[in-house]
Amino acid sequence: MMDNKPTTRFINIIMTGLFILIAITFITIAGSFYAVEQNAIRSGQEQLMQTLNYVTNNLRLVIENRSLSLQQFSEELAFKDLPEDPLAAAEKEGIIAAYLGSHEDQTNLLIQLDAEGIFSAAWVTEGGTTQILAEETALTYLQADPSFGSLFDGDPLLQNSSEYFLDNQSFVNLYTPIVAANGQVTGYLVAPLNLENMFKAEIFSDTSAYSGYPLVKNADMEVVIHPVESQVGLDIISDRQKQFPDLDLSDLRRLEEAQLTQAEGTLSYYSYWWDEENPTKVLKLGAFKWIDIGAAHWVIALNSDFYEHNRVPIQNNYILLSLLLLISAIVLIFVLLIRGYNKKNQAYEESQRFIEKQKFENERHQLEKRILKENKLESIGLLTTTIVHDMNNFLTPILGNAQLLMEEYAENDELVSELKEIYHAAEKGKELSTNVLRFSKVSEGQQDKSNDLSQVLKDTLSEITILTPKGITLENMITPDLSVEGFDKQDLQVVLYNLMTNAFQAIGNNPGKVKIRLEKALPPYNTELQKRSVVTREKQYAVLSITDDGPGIAEGLENENLFDPFFTTKGSKGSGLGLFVVSSIADKYDWQIKLDRAQKGLTVSVSIPLLPKE
């Protein structure tokens, strides 16, 4: 590597210093922004908690006030029910109308029960007019009340029920007994309190331009009170996900988890304003607190938009400062880069020339390797042919003499039996040598113009099936009448024998299954095979596949390596010629081989061109 000139070193030092300065500036600005944001979050959460305490106390006081109002009305009603008072009936109607009219938007309905909890009467006020309410309508408010049974179980009377929902509105029932002058309970009054109307009228009537609001949820995380009435009764996660399936509610799940596991707390989270037609994600500050009012167990929550309340001037100053520093640094770096452009460009061109030279050397090296491999295979083929030819010369007299000896000593059964073993061994050797010649040169055997591949495969399987080890099951599914271009039937036997032998060896001594399937190639795969060349673009293919449930091919082992001669993964137990032999025969007929790795096992597919239809 060449030494840098002094000018270049100076430029490098200046540029390094500038980069360090820019990095320090960005880190400082980022740290300041983070500190400002955290302080703003803490300050906002403290304010929210103070406001939340006010909202919580106010909510409790309003419900208690409505309960006291009902108790006072109950006392007046008990007095007017005295039989000796002739004006009691008329005055009773006036008292009821006055009570219902005092908060018509919140408690405009009153139900009277006797001491046994049996319905007595009900009244409703609408538009300033009080009238009798049908029993069937009144009972819907009692049947929906989850706490109604507590009136008669002997426990102290609750101030109010837990929440329930009717017609997309939330209610609690206020309870009070009707006590006669002698102290005996003669009945009960139940007044449904509309929580949404009460909350808007007495607690939350926000007219500010800022986003944010209080809301109330029950222990099941269902919305009890919300400024957006369509949200009442919804689960804050599942129901909103149904309404807006594309929204990210992951932070709402975090909020829900915090509220279900803590009595009170504050946090920041990303959510949406649900009064928008297309809600957008915003960063919210939230505070929450659990309270019990009568039988109701609620979490009161208050939230606000973080950025609306915390746009502090210091953030703008930091942004301006960072922009100024960044522009200055860019200008200075640009000037320095112009000065060194020519030298760097010269170095770049030199580097490109070196890369091209290296690429050329790599390609030449690969070409030399390929030529060496082809020469090696050619030498192996020549050597194989010579050895096989000599072996046939040795085996021919052995076969002839053995046959003559068997005929001459036909009466000696023991000798004939041993001579047969010699004859069969020599015959197997000659058959093996004939098969080996098939890989080193074009077979001289008889080749038909066409073959019924289905029938040839069936015949071959009937001969090879006897080689199947115990514990291994063979399954085959052969599509009939698949005529293919001509081939030597013995070649298919060799292909099938080697592939099945590999499958048996992969399964080993374990129980297993080998599946042989022959069928027409599916259209997508057939199209892929046709794209190989102009010659194959009109052909249709049959696919012969052998599948085993052995361990499959090890990770990191390339498919191409498996077809190299003498390459084996079986150590001393393998010759490394099985798939090489299969590949050689496939190349002779232009068949295509494909290995499909699976989670367990291996499928070897051989694609064979079908005979064109006339």
Side-chain angles (χ1 to χ4, degrees), residues 63 103-111 124 137 140-142 144-147 160-175 190-199 216 218 223-225 232-233 293 295-298:
I63 294 180
H103 300 288
E104 182 178 342
D105 59 332
Q106 303 169 32
T107 53
N108 69 329
L109 191 150
L110 182 66
I111 303 172
V124 63
T137 303
T140 58
Y141 290 87
L142 302 180
D145 181 356
S147 310
N160 56 270
S161 70
S162 57
E163 76 289 336
Y164 61 91
F165 302 97
L166 284 176
D167 298 328
N168 235 11
Q169 293 182 311
S170 56
F171 296 87
V172 295
N173 284 343
L174 303 177
Y175 305 137
V190 179
L193 174 61
N194 189 308
L195 295 174
E196 193 77 8
N197 291 344
M198 177 271 295
F199 199 74
V216 179
N218 61 18
V223 178
V224 178
I225 300 174
V232 174
I293 303 178
H297 182 58
W298 295 332

Side-chain angles (χ1 to χ4, degrees), residues 211 213 244 246-249 252 269-284 305 307-308:
S211 302
Y213 47 77
F244 305 98
D246 296 330
L247 297 187
D248 177 16
L249 303 183
L252 275 185
Y269 61 98
Y270 284 95
S271 184
Y272 305 84
W273 299 123
W274 304 106
D275 55 350
E276 298 177 353
E277 183 176 354
N278 297 305
T280 54
K281 182 182 285 190
V282 295
L283 177 60
K284 293 183 180 181
D305 191 313
Y307 291 108
E308 282 189 350

Side-chain angles (χ1 to χ4, degrees), residues 195-253:
L195 295 174
E196 193 77 8
N197 291 344
M198 177 271 295
F199 199 74
K200 290 180 180 178
E202 306 293 340
I203 299 174
F204 179 71
S205 55
D206 187 18
T207 58
S208 69
Y210 289 109
S211 302
Y213 47 77
L215 69 154
V216 179
K217 293 176 286 189
N218 61 18
D220 295 326
M221 290 291 109
E222 296 173 329
V223 178
V224 178
I225 300 174
H226 197 286
V228 181
E229 292 185 7
S230 61
Q231 295 291 307
V232 174
L234 299 182
D235 179 270
I236 66 168
I237 302 295
S238 59
D239 290 336
R240 286 174 175 172
Q241 195 74 74
K242 294 177 183 177
Q243 283 187 332
F244 305 98
D246 296 330
L247 297 187
D248 177 16
L249 303 183
S250 56
D251 256 22
L252 275 185
R253 292 186 176 88

